[in-house]
Amino acid sequence: MTKQSFPAPVSKWYWFLQILKTIVNMSLIKSVIRLCGYYVVNFVVGKNTAKIGKNTNIHPTVIIREGQNVEIGDNCYFNHNTILTGGHSDGKLIIGNYVQTGPNVGFFVANHYYKDPLVPIKEQGYDENDIIIEDDVWIGANSIITSGVRIGKGAVIGACSVVTRNIPPYSIAAGCPAKIIKSR
């Protein structure tokens, strides 16, 4: 009868170190560096180049692109993951006073040209039109405001709306595309 041998038991520390080595590798370090760079470019630089009024609260996860073309009034609040995008050349995002957004709202001043099917859309450039948000506007969560839109004073945009046309003052609009459903 032969004696059967079993491997020596492995300590919990051995497994802990194996998991740690798997998690902490060069790709993780590269990803963290990229994430930090993305944050610096899209929040810190954007916030420093945009014109931002007094007492405006911008959540740290807000992205401000082309900040030199973004103007924000006083006493505004931009919830997490909001994207504030000015134009690549001269299209402006102009936001009045007392404007607030829910989370995940996007303002996009530029649209891609797409008319020539022989040229990749990415290579066709941009069409830019100002977005103007007047005072005391509330924009609900997950909404998108597209190029060339003006939202009038005191308007409310319902959650998950896509605003493609001007919204008159004191209107409540919702849907995709957003339509006026009543007045305040």
Side-chain angles (χ1 to χ4, degrees), residues 21-95:
K21 276 199 267 183
T22 303
I23 293 171
V24 180
N25 57 36
M26 282 310 285
S27 62
L28 174 69
I29 293 167
K30 287 179 188 176
S31 296
V32 169
I33 290 170
R34 280 192 197 123
L35 187 61
C36 291
Y38 184 82
Y39 176 79
V40 167
V41 168
N42 288 299
F43 181 75
V44 176
V45 172
K47 193 172 177 184
N48 287 337
T49 58
K51 293 177 187 168
I52 300 172
K54 296 176 185 170
N55 299 319
T56 289
N57 185 351
I58 300 175
H59 191 274
T61 60
V62 168
I63 294 171
I64 304 173
R65 290 197 173 138
E66 307 297 343
Q68 73 279 5
N69 289 324
V70 175
E71 299 174 19
I72 301 170
D74 299 332
N75 302 300
C76 295
Y77 177 74
F78 296 97
N79 216 319
H80 63 273
N81 300 327
T82 293
I83 300 173
L84 303 165
T85 306
H88 300 288
S89 57
D90 59 356
K92 300 246 186 257
L93 172 59
I94 301 169
I95 297 174

